[in-house]
Amino acid sequence: MRERLDKVLAHLGLGSRKEIARLARAGMIAIDGQIIRDVSHKFDPSASRIEIDGEHVIYQTYFHLLLNKPAGYVTSTKDHDGAPITELIPEEHYRDDWMPVGRLDKDTEGLLLLTTDGMLAHRLTHPRWKVAKRYYAELEEPASQEDINAFAAGMELQDEKLQPAELEICQDQRKVELVIREGRYHQVKRMFEARGNRVLYLKRVKFGPLELGSLGTGEAKELSAAEALALYTEVGLKADIPDELN
Ligand code: URA
């Protein structure tokens, strides 16, 4: 599809339309080797080579960012009870169309995915796709085999029937890992509360095929092409990933 130069470059996060107009006037933008000074110039970004100041810019329809959320930050921008996670997004990844995929409580740490693809976000959070979320938790009381059985059977929480969940207990039985396949409000904390226990510390360590790896607390990184592909495949969507990133 043919689109205006300024719209395409703004979508890629290369600056405001004003800034892009300035770059164009300065002769710094080339499309398929031709300097373009007119920002209303229309072209097909997915079939063209875009260069800014001689540097090749890869065109992407959607963007995905992995965040290792620290405690104290709120996922929703409407919640004013803490700093919003958007404050953690490095300047080079700044966009105004990031959507968080699901939520983590203010005191929960760990893997939070942000995307600009609404369909991907919808499927990843829809119970139908049963995307596995793995949490590490520290508990007030030791966990037991009965907890494993209760979670595996699919608990009932205030009339909500939960999907079976897998609980693994560490040598120190107050430390556990739990895999759930839906994302209800305060789900992990409520599951342990229903067992007469309490979560003291919670961190999401895996989301579908995505892992935090070496990403430090408070850090963010764009998904690799392989990670994005795995994510789209997980929920039965065809990934729109530029050849250059594969
Ligand atoms: N379950 C919770 O209780 N809190 C979270 O932040 C995520 C899952």
Side-chain angles (χ1 to χ4, degrees), residues 156-167:
E156 269 196 40
L157 274 187
Q158 290 151 353
D159 297 339
E160 294 174 279
K161 174 78 177 159
L162 301 185
Q163 306 265 358
E166 291 130 49
L167 178 66

Side-chain angles (χ1 to χ4, degrees), residues 2 9 11 21 33 35 38 41 43 56 59 76 106 119 126 157 159 184 191 215 222 234 236:
R2 289 164 69 81
L9 298 189
H11 165 80
I35 300 285
D38 175 6
H41 172 79
F43 70 110
H56 183 198
Y59 180 74
S76 165
K106 184 177 168 187
M119 176 55 88
H126 197 285
L157 274 187
D159 297 339
R184 295 174 195 263
M191 286 171 75
L215 196 66
E222 256 194 275
E234 178 93 5

Side-chain angles (χ1 to χ4, degrees), residues 5 8-9 12 14 20 23-24 26-37 43 45 48-59 244:
L5 179 70
V8 170
L9 298 189
L12 291 174
L14 295 167
I20 290 159
L23 289 174
M28 289 166 85
I29 301 175
I31 306 297
D32 292 332
Q34 285 239 253
I35 300 285
I36 307 289
R37 292 178 196 269
F43 70 110
S48 310
R49 185 180 170 86
I50 306 170
E51 282 165 309
I52 310 278
D53 202 12
E55 279 211 35
H56 183 198
V57 177
I58 297 171
Y59 180 74
E244 294 98 320

Side-chain angles (χ1 to χ4, degrees), residues 103-109 135 180 184-190 199 202 204:
R103 289 194 183 176
L104 291 178
D105 297 336
K106 184 177 168 187
D107 59 351
T108 302
E109 297 184 7
Y135 290 88
I180 59 173
R184 295 174 195 263
Y185 186 63
H186 296 330
Q187 183 167 338
V188 175
K189 291 174 188 163
R190 286 164 64 220
V199 172
L202 189 60
R204 181 153 68 192

Side-chain angles (χ1 to χ4, degrees), residues 51-75:
E51 282 165 309
I52 310 278
D53 202 12
E55 279 211 35
H56 183 198
V57 177
I58 297 171
Y59 180 74
Q60 280 175 266
T61 315
Y62 297 117
F63 298 84
H64 319 285
L65 199 66
L66 198 70
L67 194 65
N68 187 349
K69 177 188 166 309
Y73 286 81
V74 291
T75 310

Side-chain angles (χ1 to χ4, degrees), residues 25-232:
R25 274 199 307 275
M28 289 166 85
I29 301 175
I31 306 297
D32 292 332
Q34 285 239 253
I35 300 285
I36 307 289
R37 292 178 196 269
D38 175 6
V39 288
S40 69
H41 172 79
K42 284 194 168 179
F43 70 110
D44 178 357
S46 55
S48 310
R49 185 180 170 86
I50 306 170
E51 282 165 309
I52 310 278
D53 202 12
E55 279 211 35
H56 183 198
V57 177
I58 297 171
Y59 180 74
Q60 280 175 266
T61 315
Y62 297 117
F63 298 84
H64 319 285
L65 199 66
L66 198 70
L67 194 65
N68 187 349
K69 177 188 166 309
Y73 286 81
V74 291
T75 310
S76 165
T77 45
K78 291 182 194 91
D79 183 349
H80 300 296
D81 177 33
I85 48 143
T86 45
E87 282 187 7
L88 297 164
I89 298 173
E91 208 180 325
E92 69 267 28
H93 295 302
Y94 176 79
R95 324 181 44 89
D96 56 15
D97 54 353
W98 284 124
M99 283 175 264
V101 178
R103 289 194 183 176
L104 291 178
D105 297 336
K106 184 177 168 187
D107 59 351
T108 302
E109 297 184 7
L111 197 160
L112 185 67
L113 177 70
L114 306 177
T115 183
T116 60
D117 184 348
M119 176 55 88
L120 179 69
H122 173 72
R123 288 214 182 170
L124 287 168
T125 48
H126 197 285
R128 168 169 172 215
W129 294 95
K130 297 189 174 63
V131 176
K133 280 142 268 199
R134 177 177 280 270
Y135 290 88
Y136 165 76
E138 292 178 5
L139 309 170
E140 196 165 61
E141 304 292 334
S144 65
Q145 182 62 45
E146 288 75 48
D147 295 327
I148 295 179
N149 299 346
F151 288 174
M155 300 183 84
E156 269 196 40
L157 274 187
Q158 290 151 353
D159 297 339
E160 294 174 279
K161 174 78 177 159
L162 301 185
Q163 306 265 358
E166 291 130 49
L167 178 66
E168 291 162 27
I169 305 176
C170 301
Q171 204 155 16
D172 171 350
Q173 294 179 317
R174 288 185 182 82
K175 295 182 178 170
V176 296
E177 290 211 356
L178 177 66
V179 178
I180 59 173
R181 290 191 171 70
E182 65 229 299
R184 295 174 195 263
Y185 186 63
H186 296 330
Q187 183 167 338
V188 175
K189 291 174 188 163
R190 286 164 64 220
M191 286 171 75
F192 281 103
E193 262 164 36
R195 299 290 309 156
N197 208 333
R198 202 157 76 89
V199 172
L200 303 178
Y201 172 82
L202 189 60
K203 178 174 186 171
R204 181 153 68 192
V205 293
K206 207 164 174 233
F207 183 91
L210 304 179
E211 295 188 66
L212 281 175
S214 57
L215 196 66
T217 305
E219 286 179 355
K221 67 151 196 159
E222 256 194 275
L223 291 194
S224 68
E227 286 171 321
L229 190 62
L231 201 58
Y232 276 86

